[in-house]
Amino acid sequence: MEDPHFWDNPDEATKKQRLLGNLKNDVETYNKLVSDHDDIRDMIEMADEEPDPSIVPEVEEMFEDFKNKFETLRMKTLLSGEYDDCNAIVTLHAGTGGTEAMDWTSMLYRMYSRWAESHGFQVEVLDSLDGDEAGLKSITFQVNGENAYGLLKSEHGVHRLVRISPFNANGKRQTSFSACEVMPDIEEDLDIEIDPKDIRIDTYRSSGAGGQHINKTSSAIRITHFPTGIVVTCQNERSQFQNKDKAFQELKIKLFMLKQQENAEKLDDIRGKVTDIAWGNQIRSYFLQPYQLIKDLRTGEEQTNAQKVLDGGIDPFINAYLKWIALGNKDQKDKTEAR
């Protein structure tokens, strides 16, 4: 029986409304797929009765669109994790490779932004640090949309790029790395106590967008949690108070995820393993020269149209990862690595 006071809790009420909205969208999508399936069948029957070559391209286009929508809906059945329906907080860090790695980090940010845009998601930059010469040293942004975390959790890990460096006068091929961390944005007020003695709060001038006000005041916030070594920053909001509130929420989320896990192995299932941003730790390799190939080293998924992927076409990798998890391959891989 539903708690009679359920709707007295704004967080729970909002969560339930979002769930009902998502279910309604799924039902509408299913009904649209049934309708599209019938339309395709009718078109094929018409073509059989009265052969017309001009119908073939139209039917092929309809069928391709049907397959994509069907695959998207099917993937949702694999998003059964506790936090899969949450928004996602993504942090990118440049690793080995100097300026090249910083440029690679900005390319990854562009890739995820394009992917989010194609899915109707919103991207909100929380903090960023420009590179010395080009690109980004790091950036933290939030992706808001249905199942954003469930989809983007596949991207957690080290990403390796191999290309002819635009920063090398000799035109030599260079390898660079960038790390991607993905955490769920748990919206409800978390019951996490933070001892003021365990943290240090630093303020500094924001470097991002925000007009003259943001440049004249030290509104950006950095919070360091000494016991865990967690550092969170936020500079996107207009005021120091808003940045502080957002940073504390992100810190609480990370501490909550740690608290929920009995050991580090279980933590890996949610936030992924923390590894060096260098050789041997990549989850995916992006080869742009001398040939084009992007390969996920966990699932074996490959794509040869590198530009399409870098323009946000990462759904094949996301889908392959969700299938890989559903088949239990991740658990088997972790057990093998632990030996």
Side-chain angles (χ1 to χ4, degrees):
M1 178 179 293
E2 185 178 274
D3 182 354
H5 300 292
F6 179 88
W7 292 98
D8 293 336
N9 187 328
D11 292 327
E12 292 296 334
T14 300
K15 187 173 183 180
K16 186 171 184 179
Q17 288 177 332
R18 185 176 68 231
L19 176 60
L20 290 174
N22 291 343
L23 291 174
K24 181 180 178 181
N25 290 337
D26 289 344
V27 171
E28 291 177 352
T29 301
Y30 171 78
N31 290 334
K32 182 65 166 59
L33 283 173
V34 172
S35 176
D36 290 347
H37 176 270
D38 293 341
D39 290 343
I40 294 172
R41 183 184 59 191
D42 293 342
M43 292 282 286
I44 294 175
E45 290 177 353
M46 288 174 55
D48 287 339
E49 294 175 359
E50 300 180 9
D52 182 359
S54 65
I55 295 179
V56 175
E58 183 179 355
V59 174
E60 290 179 340
E61 183 178 350
M62 292 173 64
F63 182 62
E64 190 64 29
D65 184 59
F66 174 85
K67 285 197 303 180
N68 292 334
K69 291 178 179 177
F70 177 81
E71 187 68 13
T72 298
L73 185 61
R74 189 172 75 85
M75 284 301 104
K76 286 187 177 182
T77 65
L78 302 179
L79 298 174
S80 57
E82 184 177 359
Y83 307 105
D84 282 353
D85 65 336
C86 292
N87 297 325
I89 299 174
V90 183
T91 300
L92 301 174
H93 292 286
T96 303
T99 300
E100 179 76 18
M102 297 174 198
D103 186 57
W104 173 223
T105 300
S106 66
M107 291 170 63
L108 285 176
Y109 171 63
R110 176 183 178 276
M111 181 180 78
Y112 293 129
S113 296
R114 290 289 185 91
W115 174 84
E117 181 182 352
S118 69
H119 285 267
F121 294 166
Q122 294 182 332
V123 175
E124 176 188 1
V125 175
L126 303 180
D127 183 71
S128 65
L129 182 61
D130 292 338
D132 297 328
E133 297 180 23
L136 295 164
K137 289 183 178 179
S138 66
I139 185 169
T140 298
F141 56 97
Q142 184 167 312
V143 180
N144 300 320
E146 182 184 355
N147 297 317
Y149 171 70
L151 296 169
L152 286 174
K153 65 184 181 183
S154 64
E155 299 305 294
H156 183 102
V158 177
H159 296 248
R160 173 193 177 203
L161 173 69
V162 179
R163 66 171 177 175
I164 301 298
S165 173
F167 306 101
N168 189 314
N170 297 322
K172 292 184 178 180
R173 193 169 58 158
Q174 186 166 331
T175 300
S176 52
F177 300 85
S178 183
C180 176
E181 179 182 347
V182 185
M183 295 287 290
D185 177 33
I186 305 173
E187 295 179 351
E188 61 262 29
D189 187 18
L190 299 174
D191 184 20
I192 297 292
E193 293 186 5
I194 300 176
D195 190 334
K197 297 179 181 178
D198 290 339
I199 62 173
R200 184 181 70 236
I201 302 177
D202 298 312
T203 60
Y204 57 99
R205 290 189 180 182
S206 299
S207 58
Q212 294 181 353
H213 166 77
I214 204 168
N215 295 320
K216 291 181 178 180
T217 62
S218 297
S219 59
I221 293 291
R222 179 188 298 110
I223 302 177
T224 303
H225 188 254
F226 299 124
T228 61
I230 293 174
V231 178
V232 294
T233 57
C234 185
Q235 65 168 322
N236 186 63
E237 305 297 336
R238 286 279 180 174
S239 70
Q240 184 182 112
F241 175 79
Q242 290 173 313
N243 281 324
K244 187 176 181 180
D245 186 59
K246 188 71 176 180
F248 260 110
Q249 178 66 6
E250 185 178 344
L251 176 60
K252 283 186 175 183
I253 291 171
K254 294 194 175 187
L255 293 176
F256 176 76
M257 302 300 281
L258 286 169
K259 184 179 179 180
Q260 287 294 96
Q261 308 310 310
E262 294 179 356
N263 53 54
E265 182 177 354
K266 288 186 178 180
L267 174 62
D268 290 341
D269 293 336
I270 293 180
R271 62 169 294 199
K273 294 182 178 180
V274 179
T275 58
D276 291 335
I277 315 174
W279 286 98
N281 295 318
Q282 64 268 17
I283 61 164
R284 191 178 302 153
S285 292
Y286 302 69
F287 296 95
L288 303 187
Q289 277 96 13
Y291 55 88
Q292 290 198 359
L293 175 66
I294 300 180
K295 180 174 182 178
D296 194 290
L297 305 182
R298 302 160 301 178
T299 65
E301 175 68 23
E302 296 183 356
Q303 294 289 317
T304 55
N305 189 339
Q307 191 56 53
K308 181 178 180 180
V309 174
L310 294 175
D311 284 339
I314 60 174
D315 283 327
F317 295 104
I318 292 175
N319 295 344
Y321 180 82
L322 292 175
K323 294 176 186 176
W324 186 64
I325 292 179
L327 294 173
N329 291 320
K330 183 177 186 299
D331 293 337
Q332 186 61 40
K333 180 175 182 290
D334 289 345
K335 289 179 182 178
T336 301
E337 291 178 347
R339 290 174 184 167

